[in-house]
Amino acid sequence: MIRNAFSYVTKKKIKSLIIMFVILVMTTLSLIGLSLKDATDNAAKKTFGNVTNSFSMEINRQVNPGTPRGGGNVKSEDIEKVAQSKDIHHYVKRINSVADLVGYDLFETNETQVDPSSERAKHFKRTVMLTGVNESAKETKFLSKSYRLVQGTHLTKNDKYKILMHKALAEKNKLKVGDKIKLKSNIYDVDNEKRADETIEVEIKGLFDGQNDGPVSAPQELYQNTIITDLHSAAKVYGNTEETAVYQDATFYVKGDKDLNAIIKQLEKLDINWNEYNLIKSTSNFPALQQSISGIYSIANKLFTVALVLSGMIVSLLLLLWMNARKKEIAILLTLGMSKMKIFMQFLMEVFFIAIPAFVGAYILSRYTANILGEKVLDKVTQDITKQISAQSSSSQLGGGAEVDGFNRTLTSLNVNILTETVISVILFMSVVLFISVIVSSIRMLNKHPKELLTDNK
């Protein structure tokens, strides 16, 4: 039987090669489809690894407009109430404020240069944006990869009068890690409601890098003109302490693998005016990233499903035509006393001999094409999301800056590898498809009497 199957396959070279080509192409697409999903899973875990077990406390902008400039106004005491929950491991809180560089200049581009005679130039010539945080490594812009620490160390909760500065701003002003600079309150800033006029001296603890993804219109929107500070410094330029300051938001990290939804529901029973706030799973702060992951999943699923369905349909059709041309052969074998099961097993062996080189070829081909196709899929998904974001931005007149860029960040790369377990899974799936195809194409012939087969001209 094995000899007969091998002999028939090698004898009918053209027909065998056509079926082999179909199996090779469909198996390759299936391998790439599943590998794309694995690569996306790994990218998602790497990207969301630090935020999947966390949630953010943010203002509810439907009823709470925030600060005069539109920033968050989360109260310190409300943050502490949530932080005291037995399910919270630790938390990160942020203060957004504004201050002037004393004796140093801002980083500027052609697009952000301000008319020297304007009121803006007069009042905000050296104004930088401050982000006060108790743990900068887990600050949103570092987590989203908008910022990357390139020198020095991150800020911790024990730091006081310490900052992280953009390396371009440091280079412009010939500053380095360990240098000290002065920051002064800006009395023209609308969020400086106490009209504080404080001057503080801070030390540069580290330098970070990063570039704006979209266009900006003001110097303060440039990454280069944002300074990350400890909480005390960010609060003091507004005449506040860490206890009296208002916070942009807070992120809470949950112990173990507990259900975030259940914990959020329980925390909403605390004595806090929840009309002013929302508790949001941190992964929801990266909608474009989630959309790019979902988009790639969708394409990968379609690749895999279409490959299986099409391979089943095409191979079944080809085998049906093949069987139809073998009516006399089947009739003779049945007349000679060969059982229908034995004939069916020969057909299976024939497909098996064709499938083996197709599977090997698909593995080799997918290894060389997976990353290329992965990049094409990622580019397509990213372009669609970018167009959508551009349309939304133009209609809503959103500004630039790291907060917006982090919100709109998508996957930037996929490392697609053809894993052994993926190969095994695809071969098993394709084997089932081929088995069903052989049944579908041969059952009609094997159910006929030899005489019927010899006289059937259809």
Side-chain angles (χ1 to χ4, degrees):
M1 180 175 62
I2 295 176
R3 186 183 301 169
N4 289 340
F6 184 76
S7 176
Y8 191 87
V9 168
T10 53
K11 182 181 176 182
K12 302 291 183 177
K13 291 184 176 66
I14 300 299
K15 292 180 179 178
S16 298
L17 286 173
I18 291 172
I19 296 175
M20 186 187 300
F21 177 77
V22 172
I23 297 173
L24 183 148
V25 172
M26 298 307 171
T27 304
T28 300
L29 291 178
S30 296
L31 280 172
I32 293 174
L34 284 187
S35 299
L36 266 177
K37 291 181 70 175
D38 289 337
T40 307
D41 279 336
N42 291 334
K45 287 175 183 176
K46 185 177 179 181
T47 304
F48 286 136
N50 292 319
V51 298
T52 48
N53 66 330
S54 65
F55 62 91
S56 297
M57 184 178 188
E58 303 173 1
I59 62 171
N60 177 8
R61 294 192 179 275
Q62 292 183 341
V63 297
N64 181 2
T67 65
R69 190 156 34 88
N73 60 356
V74 182
K75 297 175 184 175
S76 178
E77 59 265 30
D78 291 336
I79 293 174
E80 295 305 319
K81 287 177 183 177
V82 176
Q84 288 169 12
S85 168
K86 59 181 175 50
D87 296 313
I88 303 301
H89 182 260
H90 67 284
Y91 64 100
V92 176
K93 50 186 180 178
R94 299 192 302 165
I95 298 174
N96 280 356
S97 53
V98 161
D100 290 340
L101 288 172
V102 178
Y104 296 105
D105 296 322
L106 299 185
F107 185 92
E108 286 190 306
T109 65
N110 292 333
E111 292 75 21
T112 62
Q113 286 182 347
V114 179
D115 180 1
S117 62
S118 67
E119 284 293 306
R120 184 175 185 84
K122 180 180 177 182
H123 296 155
F124 301 102
K125 183 179 179 180
R126 289 189 169 89
T127 302
V128 292
M129 308 300 292
L130 304 184
T131 299
V133 64
N134 58 324
E135 190 177 352
S136 63
K138 292 188 180 295
E139 203 277 331
T140 305
K141 292 182 283 294
F142 282 102
L143 289 178
S144 69
K145 308 299 182 185
S146 293
Y147 293 166
R148 298 178 303 278
L149 188 73
V150 294
Q151 193 176 339
T153 57
H154 272 291
L155 302 177
T156 65
K157 63 181 180 180
N158 297 320
D159 283 324
K160 211 169 191 179
Y161 299 117
K162 306 283 186 183
I163 67 167
L164 302 180
M165 179 180 283
H166 196 284
K167 71 170 189 176
L169 183 62
E171 289 170 358
K172 178 180 177 67
N173 291 288
K174 296 180 173 54
L175 296 167
K176 62 184 184 301
V177 173
D179 286 348
K180 293 184 178 182
I181 65 169
K182 290 182 180 180
L183 297 173
K184 187 178 186 302
S185 305
N186 186 308
I187 60 172
Y188 300 102
D189 174 32
V190 292
D191 274 1
N192 185 5
E193 296 182 276
K194 294 182 178 180
R195 291 297 180 262
D197 193 12
E198 301 277 352
T199 299
I200 60 174
E201 186 176 63
V202 293
E203 180 184 337
I204 301 173
K205 189 179 181 183
L207 301 177
F208 63 90
D209 196 11
Q211 299 292 327
N212 293 74
D213 290 338
V216 297
S217 57
Q220 286 74 25
E221 291 179 349
L222 291 170
Y223 287 17
Q224 291 87 342
N225 295 324
T226 295
I227 291 178
I228 312 298
T229 78
D230 59 87
L231 290 174
H232 176 81
S233 300
K236 192 171 179 62
V237 295
Y238 279 171
N240 294 317
T241 65
E242 291 183 40
E243 290 72 31
T244 61
V246 294
Y247 288 78
Q248 174 68 22
D249 51 35
T251 302
F252 301 88
Y253 292 82
V254 175
K255 295 176 181 177
D257 298 323
K258 296 190 176 181
D259 185 356
L260 275 180
N261 291 324
I263 291 172
I264 289 173
K265 192 172 182 180
Q266 189 65 31
L267 289 171
E268 287 174 342
K269 296 177 183 178
L270 292 173
D271 182 24
I272 293 174
N273 183 4
W274 288 111
N275 286 330
E276 294 186 353
Y277 307 125
N278 288 320
L279 294 181
I280 302 169
K281 286 192 281 189
S282 295
T283 50
S284 299
N285 287 325
F286 304 95
L289 194 56
Q290 288 186 315
Q291 193 175 343
S292 65
I293 290 170
S294 298
I296 296 170
Y297 272 147
S298 177
I299 293 175
N301 282 328
K302 286 176 183 175
L303 265 180
F304 182 69
T305 304
V306 168
L308 288 181
V309 173
L310 279 182
S311 61
M313 292 173 61
I314 296 173
V315 171
S316 293
L317 179 60
L318 291 173
L319 288 176
L320 192 61
L321 295 172
W322 195 349
M323 297 299 175
N324 199 52
R326 300 173 68 178
K327 291 177 185 177
K328 290 184 179 180
E329 177 192 347
I330 296 170
I332 293 170
L333 291 175
L334 289 171
T335 303
L336 292 174
M338 184 179 286
S339 69
K340 293 180 180 180
M341 179 55 70
K342 210 166 184 178
I343 296 173
F344 176 74
M345 291 303 296
Q346 179 177 322
F347 294 158
L348 271 183
M349 292 302 300
E350 290 170 4
V351 175
F352 176 75
F353 283 129
I354 293 172
I356 287 178
F359 289 154
V360 174
Y363 172 69
I364 296 171
L365 182 61
S366 61
R367 286 190 63 185
Y368 287 100
T369 59
N371 266 314
I372 296 172
L373 187 57
E375 288 176 5
K376 297 290 184 185
V377 170
L378 180 60
D379 287 345
K380 174 68 171 63
V381 171
T382 302
Q383 285 172 14
D384 290 345
I385 295 172
T386 302
K387 288 179 183 176
Q388 184 179 335
I389 290 171
S390 298
Q392 291 172 345
S393 298
S394 60
S395 62
S396 59
Q397 295 183 332
L398 291 174
E403 295 285 355
V404 173
D405 289 344
F407 189 77
N408 293 334
R409 191 163 296 277
T410 62
L411 285 181
T412 55
S413 63
L414 281 178
N415 185 19
V416 186
N417 293 312
I418 308 299
L419 304 176
T420 303
E421 51 265 38
T422 304
V423 175
I424 294 172
S425 298
V426 169
I427 289 176
L428 287 174
F429 276 119
M430 291 299 297
S431 297
V432 171
V433 169
L434 294 175
F435 179 76
I436 294 172
S437 298
V438 174
I439 293 175
V440 170
S441 60
S442 64
I443 191 168
R444 179 171 169 270
M445 297 294 178
L446 293 177
N447 281 334
K448 287 187 176 184
H449 191 274
K451 189 174 180 179
E452 287 183 83
L453 291 171
L454 289 172
T455 57
D456 189 359
N457 294 321
K458 294 182 181 179

